[in-house]
Amino acid sequence: MKLLLIEDEPLLVDNLVQRFKHLDFIVDVALDGEQGLFLGLEHQYDLIILDLGLPKQPGLVVLEKLRAQNIHVPVLILTARNSWQERVEGLKKGADDYLGKPFHFEELQARIESLVKRHLPKKETICFAPQHLAGVNSICLNTQSKTLLVNQQKHSLTATEYRLAYTFFSRPHQVFSKQILLDKISESTDDKDSNIIEVYIRRLRSYLGKEAIQTLRGQGYRLNLSDSIAPQSEAQK
């Protein structure tokens, strides 16, 4: 899971980042509203945690601008401004949830997981039955066990392999640039090595078959299974 934390309290930021990393979350941090808006528009996240009392741009302005640009990622407001009127205003501006400070981390974690779950595909498995790949009859990604099943052969995925596979499988028609894929798998927005994408693409191809992920020169990569999607029955989970 990749989060954007827009918060200007350094001690709280440090504490949350450390605890999120123990959960294997990827966290980008913005310490003011302008930086938070920039990251929210430029990168793809599973969820945004947003303070209201931010330097440079208030949190509600950031939220309004994100929604105006059709950024529909779940947003959880985390703030000391905890009156019912402010809760209502935040929800009307497009927030998905609201948690007042002080708070227990376990409640924050539960709210995050609930919000993200609402935006995930309903099925536990995402399956394809490709007709054009030699020797491959069925491919499934299990979003609970984080495993690939290719012709009934199970492949356990690392956290990074799973994030990359899920990106492709959840949007099989989409072309992903290297930058977007880096955003999905990298721990930091700084010093990213685009060559790492090629390494993990090769790993996924070793499970799926060389032709299963298509390279589009100058554009990026696309899952090459979308022309022959055949949803599998629930019994095949």
Side-chain angles (χ1 to χ4, degrees):
M1 188 184 304
K2 187 173 180 102
L3 308 179
L4 172 59
L5 174 61
I6 310 176
E7 170 63 62
D8 67 330
E9 295 182 35
L11 291 179
L12 177 59
V13 168
D14 289 345
N15 180 268
L16 289 178
V17 168
Q18 291 304 314
R19 299 196 71 168
F20 286 141
K21 287 188 174 181
H22 283 304
L23 298 173
D24 197 31
F25 293 176
I26 296 174
V27 188
D28 286 347
V29 175
L31 298 175
D32 61 65
E34 284 186 3
Q35 185 186 21
L37 179 61
F38 172 78
L39 292 175
L41 292 174
E42 291 296 316
H43 303 282
Q44 294 189 2
Y45 297 97
D46 297 301
L47 183 134
I48 295 174
I49 300 172
L50 177 66
D51 188 17
L52 294 185
L54 294 167
K56 297 187 179 179
Q57 284 200 35
L60 286 181
V61 173
V62 173
L63 178 58
E64 281 186 294
K65 290 182 177 179
L66 289 173
R67 295 307 190 218
Q69 294 298 317
N70 294 315
I71 304 297
H72 298 300
V73 59
V75 173
L76 187 155
I77 291 177
L78 185 65
T79 182
R81 301 178 184 178
N82 200 24
S83 70
W84 71 265
Q85 295 95 335
E86 286 165 323
R87 288 174 179 262
V88 169
E89 185 179 10
L91 294 171
K92 283 184 175 180
K93 296 292 186 184
D96 297 273
D97 201 354
Y98 201 115
L99 183 60
K101 300 175 183 175
F103 59 91
H104 292 286
F105 180 80
E106 290 76 13
E107 181 179 1
L108 174 61
Q109 179 184 346
R111 287 173 181 260
I112 289 171
E113 291 173 349
S114 176
L115 284 176
V116 171
K117 186 176 181 179
R118 280 187 237 163
H119 287 75
L120 289 176
K122 299 301 182 183
K123 290 186 177 181
E124 183 178 302
T125 55
I126 307 171
C127 294
F128 301 88
Q131 305 299 315
H132 60 293
L133 300 182
V136 179
N137 300 314
S138 66
I139 295 175
C140 289
L141 177 67
N142 189 297
T143 61
Q144 300 300 309
S145 63
K146 298 184 179 180
T147 56
L148 270 175
L149 198 64
V150 182
N151 290 347
Q152 304 304 311
Q153 182 178 359
K154 184 180 290 188
H155 302 277
S156 297
L157 302 179
T158 66
T160 301
E161 288 172 344
Y162 173 75
R163 286 193 287 264
L164 189 60
Y166 179 77
T167 298
F168 283 122
F169 275 64
S170 60
R171 295 178 177 87
H173 297 278
Q174 185 169 333
V175 178
F176 293 96
S177 68
K178 279 189 176 183
Q179 182 59 57
I180 289 177
L181 295 177
L182 279 168
D183 289 343
K184 290 292 186 181
I185 70 170
S186 300
E187 295 287 347
S188 170
T189 56
D190 302 320
D191 301 325
K192 291 180 177 177
D193 181 2
S194 64
N195 292 329
I196 196 67
I197 291 299
E198 296 173 5
V199 171
Y200 282 102
I201 291 290
R202 284 198 296 271
R203 290 191 189 179
L204 290 185
R205 283 172 172 162
S206 72
Y207 306 139
L208 301 170
K210 185 177 179 181
E211 303 301 322
I213 299 176
Q214 183 180 12
T215 301
L216 301 175
R217 185 169 296 180
Q219 299 179 59
Y221 301 93
R222 178 174 59 196
L223 192 67
N224 190 26
L225 305 177
S226 57
D227 292 336
S228 54
I229 295 176
Q232 306 296 300
S233 68
E234 294 297 312
Q236 290 178 290
K237 289 184 179 181

